[in-house]
Structure formats: C-alpha cells, structure tokens
Amino acid sequence: MRVAHTATTLSWIPSESAQGLLESGFQMGLAHYDPPPSDVLSGPDEVRRLRDDDRFRFANVLAGWAEFSDDGVPTAWGYDDESGVVMGSTTVRIASVGATFAGVALPTLRPSPDVGTDSVRLVQTVGGRTGVPLPRTVPYTPLVRWQAPIVWTTLALTLHSDGRGEVELSGASPFPRHWLFGTDGRLLGKSGLTDMKRWLSDSFGPRSPWGEQDSPVLVAAVESAAERALSAQIMQAGRRPRVERLAAGSEIARQGNAGEDVYLVLDGVCAVEVDGRVVGQVGPGAIVGERAVLEGGRRTATMTALTPVRLAVASAADLDRARLAEVAREHRREED
C-alpha cells in the first residue's frame, strides 16, 4: 500500500508586526505587510501562484510518500519532486520607483526518517533570507551584520500504514508569522508569537538549523470563520485601530469589571479564566471582549498575557453587532 500526503507552511508578515527602524521602512513603502492568506490551500500550484502575487515570504512544501507491506510494515519512503522551499521576493519602492529582489534560499535539510513499526516520520527544514541587505548591530562577534536574518520552518509529516498523515510544525524562526496547513489543505495552526527583536539579533550562523540549533515554536489554535471576518473589519475600518503592546503577565481584562472595547489578538498567546478556572488559551486572530459589549457591559472572563502580546483595540460602535453575536455564541459553545 502506498500512502502519500502533502503538508505546507506559509510564512508572511502580518500588519503592525514591524518595530523600530524597520517599522519606519514599512511606513515609507520600502517594504510591505502581507494580507492574511486564505485558510485553505488547494495544493502546490496555488502556493506558487501566491508566490507570484507576492503574498508571502516563503513556503515549506513537504510532499512525502511511504510504501507499506500487507501487514503494515514500512518498506520504502521518500519525498516527491514538488517537496521543498518556495521562496518569495521583496519589492522596495521609493516614490514611484520600485525594484524587486528575489529571496535567497538555503539548502533544504532532511534528517534521516524516523521509521516505526507501522509509520514513517519525514522532517524537512527550509528557509533563506531576503536579497535586500539589512545592516544592523548584533550581540555576537563581529557585532555588525550586513545580510538579513534567516527565516525558516521545520515541518514534520508522519505517514501511517492505515492511510493517515499527521502534521507538526516542530521549529521556526521567531519572525515572521508561520501558518501550518494540514494534509487536507486546511489551516491547522499558526505560530503564536512573532519576536522581531530576537530574530534580528539571533537568527544567523550557529543560531539556525544550518548551524547548531533550531528554534522551538509556540503553535496556537486557529480562530473561527466568524472571528476572521470580524478581524478583517477591525483592521480595515476607516479609523485605524489603536494597537497596544503588553508584556507577559499583564492583565488585559478582569471578570466583573466594566468594559466597552473589543480586542483582536494580533500577536501572542493569552489565558482565559472564568471564576478562577483557566478555560482556554487564545492566540493570533482571536476576538475577545465581545460578550461585555452584548451582555450588559461587564467582562465575563479574566484574560492574562502568557507571552508578550499585541492587541488591536476596537470600539464596539464601529463593528457589526450580528458578527459580534456570532462570535459570542461560538465562545459559549467552547465553554460548555
């Protein structure tokens, strides 16, 4: 029996994620943020189309196969030709003049497969750097770097003799945002935190998979379709939302307190607590605070930042109440 599956990561730069001098560059048009990808990928051809449309920075396409005997023992395995890196490009614009720089891909890393009694686990690391120089100081010799930091993802695909394929994002660069798509092409998870400061200072040389180490990644759950629609409304509103940056451990809302704003988690992971009990965690794309708006103006949960977070703060008056109500209904189901 032959089992074949494809898993993918898309890595893109979300709105408001740049900081410091790089943020100024984005505001001047020297670089651009990326619109969120679709939550469904039809396959490698769509990945290449998105690359041609300059919709992401790079993609990791892991297309693997395994042959199993009649009693389920792996007998052969490998990677399809379409498996590997799909590198994006960077367009720099000054006034009306623009130039596009192709990304520089690093060699694809594929350690020896982990072969079990009835499964094969394939691992693939891909990445590279932008073709545009990024001079900066770093805390390591020689203290100044000219090339841009490295971006990467490490993707694992486990093929089972019963036909299943399991997907895991096991490592990634601290920046940009990484989205994980499962074997059915649907969005399965996303990196919960982008850390541009750590990426700028650490992601080169031995501090990468092409040196001595990978970087663990915090994978957050996917938001609902209703939250995604409301997120688009918040970020595309005529009035730019206020963006707050909070340190890990900060209290964002307290159960029972008055509240009239709705929060969109742009980055980071937060704990949600009701009556002193943690009921879940939320990550990028989640909408919180809608129930206070709809149910009497009091917060129904306490929310605390587990990591550094960025929040877009929106006034309920600017949002579609029907969508707010749909999100609130979904959150109640999660508590049941």
Side-chain angles (χ1 to χ4, degrees):
M1 176 180 176
R2 181 183 176 92
V3 177
H5 288 292
T6 299
T8 307
T9 63
L10 290 184
S11 301
W12 55 287
I13 303 178
S15 177
E16 308 291 341
S17 61
Q19 301 177 41
L21 292 176
L22 284 187
E23 182 179 16
S24 300
F26 277 81
Q27 293 173 349
M28 294 169 59
L30 299 179
H32 68 84
Y33 295 111
D34 301 312
S38 168
D39 59 353
V40 179
L41 285 177
S42 61
D45 286 343
E46 183 178 2
V47 173
R48 288 187 285 270
R49 180 183 62 78
L50 292 172
R51 184 269 315 276
D52 294 342
D53 290 341
D54 195 17
R55 292 288 301 274
F56 61 78
R57 302 304 96 198
F58 75 101
N60 186 347
V61 179
L62 200 173
W65 59 270
E67 298 277 359
F68 296 90
S69 65
D70 291 341
D71 55 358
V73 177
T75 58
W77 48 83
Y79 299 82
D80 288 340
D81 291 342
E82 63 193 14
S83 192
V85 64
V86 180
M87 206 69 194
S89 59
T90 299
T91 299
V92 176
R93 296 189 180 278
I94 301 177
S96 60
V97 179
T100 298
F101 298 83
V104 179
L106 294 175
T108 298
L109 302 179
R110 292 172 179 163
S112 298
D114 182 6
V115 182
T117 56
D118 60 356
S119 66
V120 177
R121 186 175 187 264
L122 303 174
V123 178
Q124 176 175 278
T125 300
V126 307
R129 61 169 62 90
T130 175
V132 181
L134 184 55
R136 66 200 186 282
T137 57
V138 296
Y140 310 99
T141 304
L143 302 181
V144 175
R145 298 288 297 183
W146 177 257
Q147 293 178 322
I150 298 171
V151 294
W152 73 86
T153 59
T154 298
L155 187 54
L157 172 64
T158 302
L159 304 168
H160 295 271
S161 60
D162 61 5
R164 291 179 296 119
E166 292 182 312
V167 180
E168 177 190 0
L169 178 60
S170 60
S173 56
F175 187 84
R177 171 82 69 233
H178 310 289
W179 275 18
L180 172 66
F181 293 82
T183 57
D184 60 355
R186 296 185 178 277
L187 183 60
L188 186 63
K190 55 181 65 176
S191 58
L193 179 67
T194 60
D195 189 341
M196 174 173 277
K197 183 177 180 180
R198 183 161 66 92
W199 175 68
L200 289 170
S201 65
D202 285 12
S203 298
F204 62 91
R207 290 159 293 278
S208 79
W210 292 268
E212 301 172 355
Q213 64 188 45
D214 202 337
S215 179
V217 58
L218 176 64
V219 179
V222 177
E223 74 277 11
S224 68
E227 286 176 307
R228 194 170 297 116
L230 201 55
S231 299
Q233 184 180 6
I234 291 173
M235 298 309 293
Q236 295 174 9
R239 205 167 43 187
R240 183 179 178 182
R242 184 174 84 252
V243 175
E244 295 184 353
R245 297 178 184 269
L246 301 175
S250 299
E251 185 178 272
I252 299 164
R254 173 162 289 277
Q255 184 177 359
N257 285 358
E260 57 185 17
D261 291 326
V262 176
Y263 300 105
L264 163 62
V265 182
L266 296 175
D267 196 42
V269 177
C270 308
V272 179
E273 184 179 309
V274 176
D275 297 332
R277 179 174 63 92
V278 175
V279 297
Q281 297 180 1
V282 296
I287 300 292
V288 291
E290 81 292 337
R291 289 182 60 182
V293 172
L294 297 169
E295 301 174 18
R298 295 287 173 180
R299 297 298 185 195
T300 59
T302 296
M303 188 168 73
T304 306
L306 295 178
T307 70
V309 298
R310 285 185 297 112
L311 303 171
V313 184
S315 170
D318 296 331
L319 302 177
D320 186 317
R321 292 187 71 85
R323 285 180 173 169
L324 283 173
E326 184 177 357
V327 170
R329 285 194 296 272
E330 291 175 341
H331 288 176
R332 284 198 194 90
R333 286 199 298 271
E334 292 172 2
E335 293 173 6
D336 293 340

